[in-house]
Amino acid sequence: MNVAEWAGIIGAAGSVLGGGSWWISRATRDAARATAAATEAAARANAAPAQQAANFAVLEATVKRVDEENGQLRGKMSRLEQIVRAFAWTTDRWARQMHRAGIEPEPAHPLVDEYNRTGV
């Protein structure tokens, strides 16, 4: 005998005793809940790779954008460092010319002195 035949026998016996319909309705309801839960779990499992692919695409786009911005910022920083070096070299040359001419220049800003000492 299969499950359906057993359920029919138990349902028939239960209806004679007065509780068979309750047992069958409860079993049907539980089976429907289990089927819904299994269907939902399968849908989540099937959607997971697509969601991961979407998340990865967003991450790749973000990394690409950040790399481009980082490259631009590095270029600007390099150019700014070149300008600071050229300006420091120029002002140092002017200060030496003033010393040779007997003119004492005003003291440099402490940050300029630090840059001249350390190069940073």
Side-chain angles (χ1 to χ4, degrees), residues 101-113:
I103 304 169
E104 188 61 33
E106 290 187 23
H109 189 278
L111 290 176
V112 174
D113 283 336

Side-chain angles (χ1 to χ4, degrees), residues 4-5 16-17 19-20 23 28 31 40 44-46 55 84 89 102 111:
E5 291 171 342
V16 170
L17 299 174
W23 183 83
T28 303
E40 183 180 338
R44 277 195 310 267
N46 289 336
N55 289 346
V84 168
W89 180 80
L111 290 176

Side-chain angles (χ1 to χ4, degrees), residues 14-85:
S15 65
V16 170
L17 299 174
S21 62
W22 174 82
W23 183 83
I24 291 173
S25 68
R26 183 172 181 192
T28 303
R29 186 189 68 223
D30 291 347
R33 284 183 184 164
T35 301
T39 302
E40 183 180 338
R44 277 195 310 267
N46 289 336
Q51 183 62 43
Q52 286 180 346
N55 289 346
F56 186 69
V58 169
L59 179 62
E60 278 184 318
T62 302
V63 167
K64 182 180 178 186
R65 180 184 54 82
V66 169
D67 282 346
E68 289 172 1
E69 289 176 2
N70 193 16
Q72 291 172 354
L73 290 174
R74 285 178 191 243
K76 288 179 182 179
M77 186 69 171
S78 176
R79 179 68 178 147
L80 182 60
E81 289 173 351
Q82 292 172 356
I83 291 170
V84 168
R85 280 191 203 100

